[in-house]
Amino acid sequence: STGVMATGTDALLNSSLGFFDDKAMAQYVPAAVHERFKACLISGDDTSPEDQKLIADGMFTWARQLGAVDFAHWFFPMRGGSGAVGGMIGALKMDTLIDLEWGSKSVIKPFKACLPHERLFQGETDGSSFPNGGLRQTHTAAAFTTWDRSSPPFVLDKVLRIPCAFVTHYGKCIDDKTPLLRSADAIKVQGLRLLKAIGIGTEAATVYSYLGWEQEFFVVDAELYKKRPD
């Protein structure tokens, strides 16, 4: 009735609370693991299985506190002929935050609530269900989702959503995210090479891209061009 929204429900004030970003990771993951994770983002090295487990455990605790009951690998497959532009139609590979108690001696294994680290960092879906540039053999029809570690997972509608790249059995991209990541990596490699060659910022360990170069060409009548004040 007063026209003032309570702080707890203000979407703008709480817009970042549902992200497992650097701040959240520092709170839920051991400090040494957090530092190694950030170092891997710069170097491109794999996160060790031991660190993967600790990160998954921390993310599970955080997500459950926000009410998550499921998790999903969120990716953007190329949708040939769908009419969607720029990967507007995303895809989710859904799972529930449970797994079997593999250590149990029972024939029928009981369930436990958890986020298995193997399924956080990598998943598998049916690649043949998406445009793939042509027919492939049955044993190569699978496609894999991998967490893009530079994109923080977030909780929405009780689902922990994990931003992923999407590649085929042979590593070919069939999504809109992988080309972007590979382009950013290429700019990083050549950018560091350029800095070393010109002797500026030679101590830099990585290069971040915050904008895309845009090339535009206009054909303008010469007389109209001469009338421009600039």
Side-chain angles (χ1 to χ4, degrees):
S1 60
T2 62
V4 179
M5 183 180 292
T7 302
T9 58
D10 190 326
L12 295 180
L13 293 178
N14 294 284
S15 59
S16 64
L17 297 183
F19 286 86
F20 194 73
D21 54 13
D22 190 66
K23 182 179 179 181
M25 182 173 285
Q27 182 178 351
Y28 287 88
V29 171
V33 176
H34 184 211
E35 290 302 317
R36 288 195 293 269
F37 179 83
K38 292 191 292 184
C40 287
L41 289 181
I42 294 176
S43 66
D45 293 339
D46 293 336
T47 302
S48 70
E50 295 77 18
D51 285 357
Q52 287 184 20
K53 187 177 187 309
L54 293 170
I55 292 169
D57 290 345
M59 191 181 300
F60 172 75
T61 300
W62 167 83
R64 289 291 292 142
Q65 290 176 353
L66 293 179
V69 295
D70 300 305
F71 72 98
H73 278 198
W74 181 45
F75 57 102
F76 291 87
M78 290 183 286
R79 305 273 193 175
S82 69
V85 178
M88 292 167 56
I89 301 179
L92 296 173
K93 174 66 184 329
M94 297 283 294
D95 281 291
T96 301
L97 288 167
I98 58 174
D99 199 7
L100 295 175
E101 287 272 16
W102 296 106
S104 171
K105 296 182 179 180
S106 300
V107 176
I108 300 178
K109 307 296 183 186
F111 286 103
K112 65 176 179 179
C114 67
L115 173 59
H117 68 278
E118 303 92 341
R119 288 154 63 191
L120 165 63
F121 281 80
Q122 181 174 315
E124 181 178 352
T125 186
D126 183 7
S128 62
S129 298
F130 303 98
N132 55 58
L135 296 176
R136 285 183 281 142
Q137 295 176 330
T138 302
H139 73 281
T140 66
F144 301 90
T145 52
T146 59
W147 175 24
D148 169 19
R149 296 173 297 177
S150 65
S151 297
F154 60 96
V155 173
L156 178 65
D157 296 332
K158 296 186 178 181
V159 178
L160 170 63
R161 304 186 183 219
I162 304 160
C164 289
F166 184 50
V167 296
T168 70
H169 181 83
Y170 289 117
K172 295 181 179 179
C173 61
I174 51 176
D175 68 333
D176 291 319
K177 191 175 185 66
T178 304
L180 174 63
L181 294 175
R182 291 178 177 175
S183 296
D185 188 59
I187 291 175
K188 167 190 169 182
V189 171
Q190 298 306 322
L192 291 175
R193 178 169 169 261
L194 174 62
L195 291 175
K196 183 178 180 180
I198 62 179
I200 297 177
T202 55
E203 71 285 353
T206 190
V207 173
Y208 297 103
S209 304
Y210 293 102
L211 55 86
W213 295 325
E214 182 178 7
Q215 296 179 334
E216 292 184 330
F217 301 89
F218 300 92
V219 179
V220 182
D221 183 275
E223 294 304 318
L224 295 175
Y225 171 79
K226 293 175 183 178
K227 292 179 181 179
R228 290 179 57 94
D230 57 348

